[in-house]
Amino acid sequence: MLSSGQKIELLKVIAHPVRIKILEELAKGVKCVSDFEEFLELRQPNISQHLALLRDHGIVDYYIDGRLRCYFLVDPFVPDLLDLLKKDYHQLLPRPACCPVTKKGVYPGDRKK
Amino acid sequence: MLSSGQKIELLKVIAHPVRIKILEELAKGVKCVSDFEEFLELRQPNISQHLALLRDHGIVDYYIDGRLRCYFLVDPFVPDLLDLLKKDYHQLLPRPACCPVTKKGVYPGDRKK
DNA sequence: CAAATATATTCAGAAATTGATATATATCAA
DNA sequence: TTGATATATATCAATTTCTGAATATATTTG
């Protein structure tokens, strides 16, 4: 089980446009490095760098098939997060009833706005 | 509705240990800046900097009560994300059946592992 | 073994992030 | 008005992250 700090670290690693695209592809199925080269407009070394980061954090793994490295998702948090990112929110949270007492207590003078 | 890029940007802003703590507190209710000074071991300007970032991204807002600024959550994505972070995962995702064909096709030689 | 393919690693410079310090602003109390 | 309180902003140095280029490694084919 991951600590809170580790989960935030995961979130930080995932929160990158290229890496999200990689993870979205992997959520659909196994892909090798050169597969990514086609739809990400990036050079191979850069893609390998992103994959290495994801590997180092236990987010993805791979098996070797000849000279291909076939990557796949291992962290179950990822599909849930991707679903959450796809979700549409049509309303903001309700504003708090005006004006709750903070820990400091109600300000002693008159209220202004 | 937010674009995919905007959501990833949000994720990036949220993925920071101090800001997560701030958001967890705000998920419980309204808090003013000096309330945060007590349980985050940070100086006031630093807290204000984090709050400004959250504000600039439409994640939080505040109302003014005397000289206090009372912050609250406005982005409905945040509580969902915090719930997801609390969730425990006890198993990794199942490994893919060995060995799926990638876009490149099955490697023409013998398979190794 | 040599060449080709697929991928990883290393390194350097640019850009972004972080937290600190100093200072500014706004509100209220006396 | 003066001082105190609450918060924001500006600036800066240290650190981290990012991307690309060059190079290395591993595997397979011929």
Side-chain angles (χ1 to χ4, degrees), chain A residues 27-68:
Chain A
K28 297 180 198 161
V30 174
K31 293 271 179 312
C32 68
V33 180
S34 46
D35 291 334
F36 291 117
E37 275 182 90
E38 297 181 15
F39 79 93
L40 302 173
E41 305 209 326
L42 294 176
R43 313 290 165 74
Q44 174 268 316
N46 195 353
I47 294 170
S48 278
Q49 284 165 352
H50 287 298
L51 287 170
L53 194 63
L54 294 170
R55 248 189 292 131
D56 292 346
H57 286 82
I59 298 170
V60 304
D61 197 2
Y62 63 87
Y63 61 81
I64 293 177
D65 177 11
R67 24 187 150 166
L68 302 179

Side-chain angles (χ1 to χ4, degrees), chain B residues 31-49:
Chain B
K31 293 272 178 312
C32 68
V33 180
S34 45
D35 291 334
F36 291 116
E37 276 181 272
E38 297 182 16
F39 78 95
L40 303 173
E41 304 210 325
L42 293 174
R43 314 288 165 74
Q44 174 270 317
N46 194 354
I47 294 170
S48 278
Q49 284 163 354

Side-chain angles (χ1 to χ4, degrees), chain A residues 7 34-35 38 61 63-65 67 74 76 80 85 87 89 93 95 100 103-104 107 111, chain B residues 7 34-35 38 61 63 65 67 74 76 80 85 87 89 91 93 95 100 103-104 107 111-112:
Chain A
K7 283 182 186 166
S34 46
D35 291 334
E38 297 181 15
D61 197 2
Y63 61 81
I64 293 177
D65 177 11
R67 24 187 150 166
V74 302
D80 283 354
L85 286 173
K87 188 171 162 187
Y89 294 90
L93 293 174
R95 299 218 148 207
K103 206 167 170 193
K104 289 269 171 177
Y107 188 74
R111 283 183 170 138
Chain B
K7 283 182 187 167
S34 45
D35 291 334
E38 297 182 16
D61 196 3
Y63 61 81
D65 177 12
R67 22 186 154 165
V74 302
D80 282 355
L85 285 172
K87 189 172 160 185
Y89 294 90
Q91 321 200 44
L93 293 174
R95 299 217 148 207
K103 207 169 172 191
K104 289 269 168 177
Y107 186 73
R111 281 184 172 139
K112 298 264 177 79

